[in-house]
């Protein structure tokens, strides 16, 4: 099976040159599948993997817009509709200057498997643009979002493809895009998730990814008869996922001590309490400022700027028991993984998508720590998007308690299926194999049922 997988990866690299993140995401999944492909030759005969790796559709388009000074800009828009075997395409939109085809294909690929784990009927997609919202006025962001939707609207729909947020796309951007979609289509439908509460949004959707990553960590700890109470936690990022990770960690009695952004990280030995988190939310969501302001505001805390000459991130070289990477891909390399282990971290729950390099993942698995890969640990966000879609279809809205209880139940069930599957296929405690195998089987079997699609 080694040869089969090596040959497959060779084809992926030859056919998709200059897409290193996509290669990495595919490699991680196929590395888990040898035993499944051995036991089920039909997946090889039917070329299921070769089909899953090829997006059903890739849409790339021009997004021209004008800034407040009247200058013209041309950005590139994307939507990768990866797989619709188990439901309509579903996945977020990322606005960040680093966005390219490789990044969005890796994210769309991950999304297919993640969505399969949620228990809800959703296919996988991802989209976005190399537009940088930083430093732009609200009017500029609105003009960009409207220009973006002027093309995207013809490719999406509540039963076709339902976008949501990701890096650089939050409530403000979803609002602008939804408004333009509605205007173009003359239809009020649940075409996007993460909507405002008065116009079709679901309670708990903003909180869901962070809450879910913490619930997943709790479930992993339960297998060792432990919980989060009193544990010190490292959190990276300071956006949507990081903020609600910190909130839930506090409410479960853990002590989050770090947050970061692209300029550096803050360390607060006393813990980022509820009150301090309120400051971060205002800083990041309203004023859109830098995380260093935290250290100016709260005495005794330290800001460490990013040092591009280092081969590791000092955030991960801090004493703790838990880590919640919640910023971006490949933010933990093998050196960082070694540092985490050296500092006593034995619970890693990934809020971000693919935040750990393949070598870093190997370190965690070799050490036998509780390692929850992103496609399982951060699935609470898209799961709650699925709950938003369900409420929109029924034209009702559930209470906070109802949605939170459903989210909790889904995270518990994702943990259970990963745990059970890892055990069944001979690698107990390996959530990477558990997540990859369980989700692959679900999607592969749906594709087999549907003929040559
Ligand atoms: P936000 O835009 O709200 O926040 C992103 C945070 O990460 C910011 O603090 C940002 O810093 C930092 N960051 C982003 N890119 C980089 C980079 N290249 N280098 C250093 N720091 C960076 O995004 P989210 O919180 O929504 O997303 C965070 C992660 O979680 C992403 O990997 C996303 O794919 C994943 N995710 C998000 C879900 C959601 O529901 N939103 C669901 C599942 C996963 P700065 O502001 O300086 O750029
Ligand atoms: O990576 C992700 O799962 C998200 N950004 C959320 C996608 C969604 O459709 O809610």
């Amino acid at each position: 099976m080694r040869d089969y997988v090596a040959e497959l990866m060779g084809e992926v690299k030859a056919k998709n040159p200059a897409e290193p993140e996509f290669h990495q995401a595919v490699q991680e999944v196929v590395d888990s599948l040898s035993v499944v492909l051995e036991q089920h030759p039909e997946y090889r005969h039917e070329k299921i993997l070769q089909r899953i790796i090829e997006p059903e559709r890739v849409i790339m388009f021009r997004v021209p817009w004008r800034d407040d000074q009247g200058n013209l800009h041309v950005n590139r828009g994307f939507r990768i509709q990866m797989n619709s075997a188990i439901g309509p395409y579903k996945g977020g939109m990322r606005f960040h200057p680093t966005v390219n085809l490789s990044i969005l294909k890796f994210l769309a690929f991950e999304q297919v498997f993640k969505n399969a784990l949620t228990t809800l009927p959703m296919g996988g997609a991802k989209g976005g643009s190399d537009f940088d919202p930083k430093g732009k006025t609200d009017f500029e962001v609105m003009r960009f979002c409207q220009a973006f939707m002027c093309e995207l609207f013809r490719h999406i729909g509540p039963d076709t493809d339902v976008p949501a947020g990701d890096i650089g796309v939050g409530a403000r951007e979803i609002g602008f895009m939804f408004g333009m979609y509605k205007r173009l289509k003359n239809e009020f439908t649940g075409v996007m998730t993460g909507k405002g509460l008065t116009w079709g949004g679901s309670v708990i959707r903003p909180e869901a990814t962070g809450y879910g990553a913490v619930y997943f960590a709790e479930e992993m700890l339960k297998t060792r008869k432990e919980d989060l109470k009193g544990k010190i936690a490292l959190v990276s990022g300071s956006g949507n996922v990081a903020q609600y990770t910190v909130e839930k960690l506090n409410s479960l009695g853990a002590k989050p001590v770090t947050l970061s952004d692209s300029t550096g990280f803050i360390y607060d030995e006393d813990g980022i309490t509820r009150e301090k988190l309120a400051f971060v939310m205002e800083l990041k969501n309203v004023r859109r400022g830098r995380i260093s302001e935290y250290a100016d505001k709260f005495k005794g805390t330290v800001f460490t700027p990013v040092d591009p000459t280092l081969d590791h991130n000092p955030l991960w070289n801090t004493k703790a028991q838990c880590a919640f990477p919640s910023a971006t891909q490949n933010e933990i390399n093998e050196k960082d993984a070694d540092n985490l282990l050296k500092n006593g971290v034995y619970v890693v729950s990934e809020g971000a998508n693919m935040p750990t390099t393949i070598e870093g993942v190997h370190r965690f698995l070799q050490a036998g720590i509780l390692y929850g890969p992103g496609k399982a640990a951060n699935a609470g966000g898209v799961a709650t998007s699925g709950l938003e879609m369900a409420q929109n279809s029924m034209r009702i809205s559930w209470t906070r308690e109802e949605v939170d209880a459903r989210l909790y139940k889904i995270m518990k069930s994702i943990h259970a299926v990963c745990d059970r599957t890892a055990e069944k296929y001979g690698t107990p405690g390996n959530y990477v194999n558990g997540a990859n195998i369980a989700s692959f089987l679900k999607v592969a079997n749906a594709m087999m049922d549907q003929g040559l699609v």
Side-chain angles (χ1 to χ4, degrees), residues 84-103:
S84 62
I86 63 170
Y89 305 112
K90 179 82 194 89
M93 307 286 283
R94 178 177 291 191
F95 291 170
H96 195 271
T98 57
V99 160
N100 58 34
L101 195 55
S102 175
I103 302 256

Side-chain angles (χ1 to χ4, degrees), residues 90-92 111 114 126 162 164-166 193 205 353 378 381-382 385:
K90 179 82 194 89
Q111 199 79 45
K114 184 196 304 192
K126 201 86 187 189
V162 182
D166 193 78
T193 59
R205 176 63 192 88
N353 285 304
N378 73 38
V382 73
S385 280

Side-chain angles (χ1 to χ4, degrees), residues 86-248:
I86 63 170
Y89 305 112
K90 179 82 194 89
M93 307 286 283
R94 178 177 291 191
F95 291 170
H96 195 271
T98 57
V99 160
N100 58 34
L101 195 55
S102 175
I103 302 256
L104 293 182
K105 279 176 70 180
F106 116 63
L107 287 162
F109 185 76
E110 288 276 297
Q111 199 79 45
V112 173
F113 300 94
K114 184 196 304 192
N115 293 4
L117 291 172
T118 63
T119 72
L120 303 173
M122 296 181 289
K126 201 86 187 189
S129 175
D130 57 0
F131 172 73
D132 186 358
K134 272 201 201 83
K136 306 288 190 297
T137 64
D138 285 352
F139 280 132
E140 288 171 333
V141 170
M142 181 171 73
R143 279 198 294 280
F144 175 80
C145 288
Q146 293 181 335
F148 184 85
M149 188 51 82
C150 277
E151 173 57 33
L152 187 69
F153 85 100
R154 57 186 109 248
H155 308 290
I156 61 175
D159 297 315
T160 310
D161 183 355
V162 182
D166 193 78
I167 291 176
V169 177
R172 175 181 63 168
E173 292 74 18
I174 296 286
F176 293 152
M177 285 191 269
F178 181 81
M180 185 47 103
Y181 178 89
K182 182 162 60 67
R183 201 171 166 195
L184 291 165
K185 285 274 200 175
N186 194 28
E187 276 172 13
F188 194 114
T189 64
V191 67
M192 302 191 86
T193 59
K195 301 185 290 299
L197 293 184
T198 55
W199 42 278
S202 174
V203 286
I204 303 287
R205 176 63 192 88
E207 293 88 338
T209 311
Y211 280 16
V214 177
Y215 292 152
F216 197 86
E218 276 264 297
E219 289 305 305
M220 292 197 292
L221 277 163
K222 274 188 202 164
T223 65
R224 297 190 181 176
K225 306 210 170 359
E226 290 185 48
D227 60 30
L228 282 163
K229 217 165 278 142
K231 295 207 164 47
I232 296 173
L234 308 177
V235 181
S236 64
S238 48
N240 172 268
V241 179
Q243 291 169 15
Y244 289 103
T245 296
V246 166
E247 183 171 291
K248 187 52 86 179

Side-chain angles (χ1 to χ4, degrees), residues 209-365:
T209 311
Y211 280 16
V214 177
Y215 292 152
F216 197 86
E218 276 264 297
E219 289 305 305
M220 292 197 292
L221 277 163
K222 274 188 202 164
T223 65
R224 297 190 181 176
K225 306 210 170 359
E226 290 185 48
D227 60 30
L228 282 163
K229 217 165 278 142
K231 295 207 164 47
I232 296 173
L234 308 177
V235 181
S236 64
S238 48
N240 172 268
V241 179
Q243 291 169 15
Y244 289 103
T245 296
V246 166
E247 183 171 291
K248 187 52 86 179
L249 283 169
N250 275 321
S251 67
L252 294 179
K255 185 158 92 168
V257 293
T258 59
L259 280 172
S260 70
D261 64 18
S262 52
T263 64
F265 77 98
I266 58 102
Y267 172 64
D268 184 345
E269 197 181 358
D270 297 335
I272 302 161
T273 58
R274 208 174 287 271
E275 295 70 36
K276 292 171 179 173
L277 176 63
F279 170 81
V280 173
M281 287 182 165
E282 198 267 337
L283 170 71
K284 285 288 165 184
N285 309 345
V286 182
R287 286 194 287 124
R288 299 178 193 271
R290 312 314 300 158
I291 198 68
S292 55
E293 278 193 41
Y294 184 101
D296 302 335
K297 167 94 180 164
F298 301 109
K299 296 295 158 235
T301 65
V302 185
F303 172 70
T304 307
V306 167
D307 177 353
T309 64
L310 291 181
D311 62 353
H312 67 283
N313 181 349
L315 191 164
W316 306 123
N317 200 5
T318 307
K319 286 253 166 305
Q321 290 81 49
C322 315
F324 292 84
S326 310
T328 192
Q329 63 277 353
N330 292 330
E331 51 172 317
I332 298 179
N333 63 23
E334 56 191 305
K335 185 97 190 271
D336 297 316
D338 286 340
N339 283 336
L340 284 163
L341 295 168
K342 194 184 75 201
N343 279 288
V345 168
Y346 66 99
V347 182
V348 177
S349 189
E350 295 184 337
N353 285 304
M354 206 169 77
T356 311
T357 62
I358 290 202
E359 297 75 21
V361 172
H362 287 159
R363 294 293 213 277
F364 291 151
L365 294 177

Side-chain angles (χ1 to χ4, degrees), residues 16-75:
N16 306 279
E19 295 180 12
E21 293 85 3
F22 180 57
H23 304 162
Q24 183 184 340
V26 174
Q27 180 85 57
E28 196 211 274
V29 169
V30 298
D31 279 348
S32 291
L33 294 179
S34 292
V35 52
V36 179
L37 298 170
E38 193 86 63
Q39 288 177 13
H40 297 277
E42 66 273 22
Y43 297 136
R44 280 179 281 140
H45 296 151
E46 293 295 326
K47 295 207 173 200
I48 289 289
L49 262 176
Q50 289 85 340
R51 284 193 264 155
I52 284 187
I53 286 161
E54 194 65 25
E56 286 179 15
R57 191 174 297 108
V58 173
I59 300 147
M60 276 173 71
F61 50 96
R62 175 172 71 211
V63 188
W65 61 280
R66 234 181 245 282
D67 66 25
D68 291 349
Q69 280 72 45
N71 301 314
L72 260 166
H73 299 267
V74 183
N75 283 100

